[in-house]
Amino acid sequence: MPETPCRPYVLPTRVHAPLDYLLGALLLAAPWLLGFGSATRAAAPLLGGGALLLLLALLSDHEGGALKRLQMPAHLWIEALLGVALAVSPWALGFDRTAWLPHLIAGLLLVVLAFFTHTIPGYERRRTRSS
């Protein structure tokens, strides 16, 4: 799939891949780092989002993917949808009076990362240029 010129691709997949792992781990640790632990409704979206993001990174066809079964456009769509779900989760699940800022920040960050990342891994772009 050729990349469309209407999207400003500024983040290569070799940078996006470690960010997925870092953000996934941070989302998993966030409830304890922020003091609301795993027992609250506010922790569930962060824990689920972190686990999904790590699984997504492992399955994706980028430099950091272990299985390379999921192409980058699908990876980025799922990541953007996860970001939207995280961002709205405090209001949708009714815990907006206790902890909403980490969910909103993480969600918006995932949407931005998905929008600005190349849809073709760097090794694929180099291979097609040299052919």
Side-chain angles (χ1 to χ4, degrees):
M1 172 194 297
E3 295 181 321
T4 57
C6 63
R7 279 188 56 198
Y9 299 108
V10 295
L11 190 64
T13 55
R14 68 175 157 58
V15 175
H16 184 103
L19 287 176
D20 279 344
Y21 290 106
L22 177 65
L23 288 171
L26 282 173
L27 287 175
L28 288 174
W32 291 275
L33 293 174
L34 299 173
F36 51 87
S38 66
T40 66
R41 278 190 292 170
L46 294 173
L47 296 173
L52 180 60
L53 194 55
L54 290 175
L55 179 63
L56 194 60
L58 287 170
L59 292 173
S60 293
D61 183 22
H62 57 42
E63 291 83 348
L67 300 177
K68 299 191 185 317
R69 297 280 188 242
L70 186 64
Q71 292 183 351
M72 280 308 293
H75 168 108
L76 296 173
W77 270 103
I78 294 168
E79 193 167 287
L81 291 173
L82 173 60
V84 170
L86 269 175
V88 302
S89 66
W91 296 275
L93 300 176
F95 58 85
D96 56 306
R97 295 186 193 275
T98 57
W100 59 271
L101 191 58
H103 302 76
L104 182 63
I105 291 171
L108 292 176
L109 181 60
L110 287 174
V111 170
V112 167
L113 286 174
F115 184 76
F116 286 107
T117 298
H118 283 277
T119 57
I120 301 172
Y123 59 84
E124 286 291 329
R125 285 195 313 273
R126 285 187 297 276
R127 188 172 58 159
T128 56
R129 268 186 273 158
S130 64
S131 299

